[in-house]
Amino acid sequence: MADTSGLIAALSQLAEAPQGPRGPRCTVGVILDALDTDTSLKVRDVLNSPSISSTLIADALTGSGHRVQAPAVARHRRRGGSNGCRCPR
């Protein structure tokens, strides 16, 4: 029978290693990272305003050359929740 101690050690390392993020990055998070500081802060303020719809925000961003759809904006607004994106709250 083959020596399996090396295999066991390798599998143990895989099981104990922290998992990396799965799936693509949040579109809104990518846009925020690409903007200058002042613009990013303004977009964050608007995102945190419940009186402005995700559709209006998506339209404004898309009109400025940052393609994003309303569901992605809504998902970003729910970040930290079970049905939100992985961006930090």
Side-chain angles (χ1 to χ4, degrees), residues 11-23:
L11 293 174
S12 294
Q13 285 180 335
L14 288 175
E16 295 168 4
Q19 293 201 352
R22 295 180 355 211

Side-chain angles (χ1 to χ4, degrees), residues 32 35-49 52 57 61:
L32 289 170
L35 296 172
D36 63 79
T37 303
D38 291 338
T39 306
S40 177
L41 289 172
K42 184 60 179 176
V43 172
R44 289 173 200 274
D45 286 344
V46 171
L47 286 166
N48 291 327
S49 175
I52 303 172
I57 296 169
L61 288 169

Side-chain angles (χ1 to χ4, degrees), residues 11 23 26 28 30-31 35 37-38 43 45-46 54-55 63 71 77 80 82:
L11 293 174
C26 169
V28 177
V30 170
I31 291 169
L35 296 172
T37 303
D38 291 338
V43 172
D45 286 344
V46 171
S54 297
T55 301
R77 291 174 119 177
S82 62

